[in-house]
Amino acid sequence: VWADDLQPGREKRIARLENLPQTAGDAERNRLAAGLAEVYAILRDDAGQKRMLTDLASRNAGDLASREILYSLALKEGDTAARARWREELRRIEGQGGRTVALLDALHTAGSPAGDAAELVRVALAETPDDPEGHLLAARLAERRADAAAATQQYELAADLDPAALKYQEARLGYYLRTGRDEDARRTLARLEADPRVHSLRFRAIVEGAVASAGPQALGKGLSWLQPQLKREPRSAVWAGRLLEARGKVADALALYRQATDSQPTFADGWSARLLASARLGDGEVNETIRLAAKALERKAFFAVCAECGAAVRAKVPMWGPPVTTPRDRRAYAEACIAACEARGRLEDAIPVLSTIADDRDAPPEDMAWAKRTMAALTAAIGTAEQKRDALSVLREGGTAVSIDDARSRLRALTVAFKTTAGDDRRVIVREMIGLLSSVVRDPGATSNDWFQLAQLYRVAGDRVAARRCLQELLKREPSNLFYVAVAVDDLVSEQKFDEAEPLVKLLSEAVPDARGVASAIRFYALTNQPRAALDLVDRFVRVADAGTADGIGRQRQAAELLDQITRVAAAKGLSGYKVLLDAACERYRASLKAYPEAVTPMAALLAFDGQVEAAFAEIQKQKTRLSPTALATAGVAALRSGHGSARQFQTVRGWIDEALATSPDSVPLKLNLGELHALRQDFASAEQVYREVLKAEPKNLVALNNLAWILAPQPESAEQALKFADRAIELSGATGELLDTRARILISAGRFDRAVADLNDAINQSQTPLRYFHLAVAQLKMSKQEEAVKTFKEARARGLDPKIIHPCDLPTYKVLATQAERAVQ
């Protein structure tokens, strides 16, 4: 839906989807990355496509398709380093006999030299006749030698072998357009339009790509053939108009925009396109468009068009301004500007509009108050440190009642601020957001999602009673919504209210199982020591997939990840059923290794967690030839992370890393593995050096920032420097539980115990890990709150605190707390 949005800002909105929560498994991440890569390809956003495919390739050592596209993009951009990397990866997967690299090289150079390419095509098609790349190269060679029959046959074959791929469909249509084969081009357009696999967004992308390769006359022809569709679909008419405008044909584009707004007067995107094109023809055309738009659109949509297009229109017609004649109009326009700025990811552009209202003594008092408070919400998100302090002071003063639209606009800004604040500042933001959402849910137009967001905010604030009331309201509204049922189960299980959770777990178990519901249900079964019930549900989750399909293997991987997580929880609780869960998790991992050899990494980590380090390395050795050098190093480090590794195993993994770095000396993932290996050996000086090298190459690398801050955290003399790294990571990624935990440990070293406790409470409200409780106990002990410290330490132990995960500098404090806890028991 966002990709189909014709207004600016869609790329930023889509990019927000890239960040899954830390609890998401590899199978979920793979599906998301693959889907987003496809969307970015349709939008011709090469940078976004590379991000997603690189992510896929890093977690899937045998993924040939992602590496093919990455190699093609490197060829297109002339990126020699990326080209070398992906060429090596393709040859590792295919072996010496693979021809993918040669085919892609030949396609990039349009099949030159012809003799070598012709032989390559002959061999490739003989060995893999269903590979569209070979047919595409054959088509290009035939076109170059003017063999129309052969070219037509090969372009058709390539396109038919992969009907949904942009590359082959664009190539076929482009060939017909540039060679004047109008009937074939029209027939191809009709086939594509009728194909249910080619939705309208993909169809337009194919036409756009084909036209770009076919010369200046192709666009006019193509659009003339598409007239029925352009009349039927106003959005397609706007798309076609944009193509015409890009070629300087403004009058023709404006005719299409008029067609779109005449056929569908309430289509706001049509009016936006028409207004922007009108600005290129002068103020007379602009005034006429504005007059008609004001009649056709309801007031909110009309001012949204003015807000979206205002800057671009003023660039052509400097004196233009929206027809704002009343305070009510000005408020509506300001609200539209905020929404437009939020959509484009440029909240700062809304500040001048709000300032005008806030500083206008003639404005209605309620509008002035609204503008000041909304401006404070925006400034809290994007201002300097000093500006944020002033903004938070405004928010602390409390506010007036707001409309539901106003509340939502403020909430969007405050959500940005929430991600980058912690401690008292975050509590101010959370309180403001709770107040706004509380007013929203009282409105008849409130949605279930409003109640869900309010529940989440109450949880962050530590008010579990209020959070549960919101969840109960959700279950009343949508009793069959399994997502809300799963969230309610998680909440009850976290409070060990198993009797209340049981009826809801039954609902999850009886429904068609999905990953979210299964995760909540098996957590319940594991913590009530019913491992067989958990395994039965996981088995049903896997069997839902069609046998032999990619979804079946994907579900095996998901099932393994779910069992992996719950095994660790059960082990931490000392439950007798955890071994059954562990064996089942490893069995599922093994079932997915054929398609996902990199699944050996979490399996090895789980085995090592259970003390089976030798078995973990044996599993890695079995997959060694199928893993990339980076994946091999990552698997080795994962096994050693348990703290049970031998000197020989450390040496083995160091050898893998050194060998990989010899061929890829600038690889950041390999350097991160090396830094963690040093840290695991408690060679913190070497680890620090590696992480600093990474940050020179990638100053925004979150792993390096967090890990370097963690290494420096217990040292009072380096606390200020460590704090800068932690604050930078939070600024980039938001105040996640892990980053807050790191910063809290630094604050303890710096003697800022109150701030440390605030950060730790925020971190624990996000996820109750044993290490966070331990650090809270350390802070409380430093504050001479011995009774509280011992109580918190016992909670950390109850949640499975392992001394091996504690920084060595904290081990003396661990021993003190352990001794005091034992005395308290006696």
Side-chain angles (χ1 to χ4, degrees), residues 136 139-140 143-144 151 155 169-182 185 209-219 221 225:
L136 181 58
R140 296 261 174 88
E143 182 181 358
R144 201 174 70 172
Y155 277 121
Q169 306 308 321
E170 287 176 7
R172 174 176 62 180
L173 181 57
Y175 169 67
Y176 291 145
L177 287 170
R178 65 178 166 266
T179 55
R181 300 170 66 98
D182 291 358
V211 163
S213 72
Q217 304 304 315
L219 179 60
K221 281 184 184 179
W225 300 331

Side-chain angles (χ1 to χ4, degrees), residues 50-304:
K50 281 192 294 185
R51 280 197 310 274
M52 294 298 93
L53 293 176
T54 301
D55 181 45
L56 267 178
S58 68
R59 282 183 283 102
N60 298 275
D63 182 2
L64 187 68
S66 294
R67 289 168 171 81
E68 283 184 34
I69 300 172
L70 286 164
Y71 185 62
S72 296
L73 289 170
L75 289 170
K76 171 185 167 185
E77 296 172 358
D79 186 336
T80 53
R83 190 166 60 204
R85 174 186 177 185
W86 299 118
R87 183 195 299 122
E88 179 189 339
E89 287 282 290
L90 287 167
R91 286 177 173 162
R92 174 186 62 80
I93 294 172
E94 288 192 314
Q96 293 304 312
R99 291 183 176 80
T100 296
V101 169
L103 280 169
L104 294 175
D105 284 343
L107 281 166
H108 178 65
T109 56
S112 179
D116 293 342
E119 177 60 18
L120 176 64
V121 165
R122 187 189 67 78
V123 175
L125 293 184
E127 293 185 357
T128 53
D130 58 349
D131 181 3
E133 293 287 2
H135 291 287
L136 181 58
L137 180 56
R140 296 261 174 88
L141 292 173
E143 182 181 358
R144 201 174 70 172
R145 65 175 185 266
D147 185 344
T152 299
Q153 180 188 28
Q154 295 300 330
Y155 277 121
E156 288 285 347
L157 280 169
D160 289 344
L161 282 167
D162 197 344
L166 296 177
K167 180 178 182 178
Y168 309 118
Q169 306 308 321
E170 287 176 7
R172 174 176 62 180
L173 181 57
Y175 169 67
Y176 291 145
L177 287 170
R178 65 178 166 266
T179 55
R181 300 170 66 98
D182 291 358
E183 283 308 310
D184 287 330
R186 295 182 71 162
R187 174 177 53 81
T188 299
L189 282 170
R191 283 169 59 184
L192 288 170
E193 192 176 3
D195 192 332
R197 293 165 295 190
V198 183
H199 53 71
S200 58
L201 186 62
R202 183 181 292 277
F203 175 79
R204 295 196 291 265
I206 291 169
V207 174
E208 191 172 338
V211 163
S213 72
Q217 304 304 315
L219 179 60
K221 281 184 184 179
L223 295 185
S224 68
W225 300 331
L226 291 174
Q227 274 303 313
Q229 187 194 67
L230 301 184
K231 289 179 180 177
R232 188 172 63 251
E233 292 186 10
R235 190 170 294 277
S236 292
V238 172
W239 158 78
R242 295 271 169 85
L243 294 183
L244 289 167
E245 276 196 84
R247 288 160 176 77
K249 299 182 178 182
V250 181
D252 292 343
L254 197 53
L256 278 175
Y257 300 147
R258 289 193 187 108
Q259 175 184 300
T261 54
D262 289 346
S263 66
Q264 193 169 329
T266 58
F267 179 43
D269 281 348
W271 286 109
S272 294
R274 183 170 171 178
L275 178 57
L276 291 171
S278 297
R280 301 175 72 174
L281 300 180
D283 56 357
E285 192 70 39
V286 167
N287 292 335
E288 176 66 6
T289 299
I290 283 291
R291 184 182 67 81
L292 294 172
K295 283 185 176 181
L297 296 171
E298 57 96 11
R299 189 163 152 275
K300 182 177 177 181
F302 170 70
F303 281 119

Side-chain angles (χ1 to χ4, degrees), residues 424-649:
D424 289 340
D425 289 347
R426 172 175 275 211
R427 274 180 273 284
V428 171
I429 299 291
V430 169
R431 188 178 65 226
E432 177 78 357
M433 293 177 77
I434 286 174
L436 289 167
L437 269 172
S438 296
S439 68
V440 168
V441 297
R442 287 193 292 270
D443 190 283
T447 66
S448 294
N449 189 56
D450 293 324
W451 282 99
F452 176 68
Q453 297 299 332
L454 184 56
Q456 297 295 89
L457 285 167
Y458 275 128
R459 184 173 177 273
V460 168
D463 189 343
R464 291 188 170 273
V465 174
R468 190 164 297 123
R469 280 201 304 269
C470 293
L471 291 175
Q472 288 167 351
E473 174 65 26
L474 279 171
L475 293 179
K476 286 180 187 175
R477 284 170 158 253
E478 299 188 38
S480 59
N481 186 317
L482 296 181
F483 175 79
Y484 296 143
V485 172
V487 172
V489 167
D490 289 343
D491 178 69
L492 291 167
V493 167
S494 69
E495 295 291 305
Q496 297 188 341
K497 297 186 175 183
F498 299 119
D499 290 344
E500 292 181 46
E502 191 167 11
L504 298 177
V505 172
K506 187 177 180 182
L507 285 175
L508 293 175
S509 301
E510 291 175 350
V512 175
D514 71 314
R516 181 67 181 83
V518 168
S520 298
I522 68 170
R523 180 180 173 82
F524 169 86
Y525 288 132
L527 292 179
T528 53
N529 215 19
Q530 301 180 66
R532 292 298 170 192
L535 295 184
D536 288 345
L537 183 56
V538 168
D539 186 55
R540 198 156 64 86
F541 167 73
V542 173
R543 284 190 282 108
V544 162
D546 293 333
T549 64
D551 185 43
I553 297 295
R555 280 178 177 259
Q556 288 281 14
R557 178 79 181 269
Q558 276 187 292
E561 291 163 354
L562 292 170
L563 289 167
D564 187 331
Q565 293 167 17
I566 207 63
T567 295
R568 294 169 187 268
V569 174
K573 294 285 186 181
L575 300 175
S576 59
Y578 101 87
K579 279 283 189 182
V580 175
L581 296 170
L582 185 143
D583 290 343
C586 290
E587 181 184 343
R588 298 291 182 185
Y589 275 130
R590 289 189 184 95
S592 65
L593 284 172
K594 186 174 181 180
Y596 301 106
E598 67 283 353
V600 75
T601 298
M603 181 171 72
L606 182 60
L607 287 168
F609 163 80
D610 191 46
Q612 302 180 53
V613 186
E614 287 291 341
F617 275 89
E619 295 289 351
I620 295 171
Q621 288 289 351
K622 290 178 188 175
Q623 304 300 322
K624 186 177 177 182
T625 58
R626 301 177 63 208
L627 296 171
S628 69
T630 302
L632 178 63
T634 302
V637 171
L640 294 175
R641 198 175 290 135
S642 66
H644 300 295
S646 66
R648 177 177 56 81
Q649 288 159 346

